[in-house]
Every structure is written in C-alpha cells, then in structure tokens.
Amino acid sequence: MEIVAHGLWTAAGAITASRATPVRIRTTWAVWWGVFPDVLAFGPSMIAGVALLLFRGREAISAGAPHVHLGLSLYPAAHSLVVFALAFAAVTLVARRVMWEMLGWLLHILIDIPTHSYSYYATRFLWPVSDVGVNGIAWWTPWFWGTTYAALALVYLALWRKGWLKRPEVEGVRAGAGNAP
Ligand SMILES: [Zn+2]
C-alpha cells in the first residue's frame, strides 16, 4: 500500500483502539510508526536524490533516484515481522512499558503482505529467515486503490459519526471549563 493510505489506516486504528479499549495510543506516534517501514526503505535514496538535485543539478538524477547502500537491505528489513518483533521486544524492555504506538509498524507489514505482488516488492515478511512472500493484489491496481479509499472514507465517516475524531484533550478541557466556578 502507499504511504498516505498506510498513515490513514494507522490513524483510524489508533483512534479506535484508544476509544474502544483502555489502552491509550498517541495517534501521531502511531502514524509515524505506520509509515516508518517505507520511510526507512525509501527515505535515504530520496534524501540523496534531493541532495543531488540541489547540489549537482537535474542531469545528475536523470537516470532515476540514486541507490543508497547502508550495508543493510532496508526494504526487506523494514517489512519483516522478524525484525519488527525484535525491535518491539527491545524497545519494550528498554522503555519498561509496551510501546503500543509501534503496532503501527506491525499494521504496515500486515497490510503490505496481500497488497504487493511478485512483480513489485512482494513483502518478504519472514526476512532474513525466509524469502517467502505472497503474490497479492498490487495496491496500485485502479479498482483496488479506489476500493481502498472508498473503505477509508466509510471508516472515517463512522469515526466522525461516533464523535471520535474530536481530540479527547479538547473534550477534557471543555468538561473542565464547565465545572469551573
Ligand atoms: Zn511498505
């Protein structure tokens, strides 16, 4: 899936979890983790491309965005359930609390598994243990992409009707103001 839809799905999930369960999830941080795999996978080459464009001019990147090698396969690493599980466990141990916002990263991987095909970045979700992947429906297939945004529109309409799109802090301030003498 593309990065905007990832962000919207993560925000919807974080808002729903915060409202419907006792767990409080900071939506902004959840969205950051929800787009993190693609930022990690494509960010370095995009930054290098912008830097080349600024300092060397347009012809320097005429052949496409440069490849950046950091000694690590960033795309499969960022989209691996194995890497996620290790990172989640490490952060939980260090922070001594469950970083619920990091589940945005998990959601990203789970969404990418069926929405990529063998012809384009099939998600190797068990990397580096296995290269197994799923030949899913490529997210840019027009009917599928349209259906994704129609589904997102319905989800956000439902959230709006429940009043869950209002910031809880704002409601708290209003409730507090009502009690003030
Ligand atoms: Zn992705």
Side-chain angles (χ1 to χ4, degrees), residues 58-67:
R58 192 175 287 270
E59 61 278 7
I61 58 162
S62 57
H67 278 277

Side-chain angles (χ1 to χ4, degrees), residues 84-158:
F84 163 76
L86 292 173
F88 186 64
V91 169
T92 301
L93 283 175
V94 170
R96 293 174 180 228
R97 72 177 186 89
V98 179
M99 283 292 180
W100 296 105
E101 289 79 7
M102 278 185 85
L103 295 182
W105 183 356
L106 175 65
L107 182 66
H108 183 115
I109 299 170
L110 295 179
I111 289 175
D112 271 357
I113 290 172
T115 60
H116 285 250
S117 62
Y118 283 159
S119 60
Y120 185 81
Y121 287 105
T123 305
R124 292 185 277 159
F125 55 93
L126 293 179
W127 185 92
V129 180
S130 161
D131 274 342
V132 68
V134 172
N135 191 21
I137 302 165
W139 59 258
W140 61 94
T141 308
W143 71 264
F144 187 73
W145 194 73
T147 307
T148 296
Y149 275 87
L152 276 167
L154 287 176
V155 165
Y156 275 87
L157 180 67

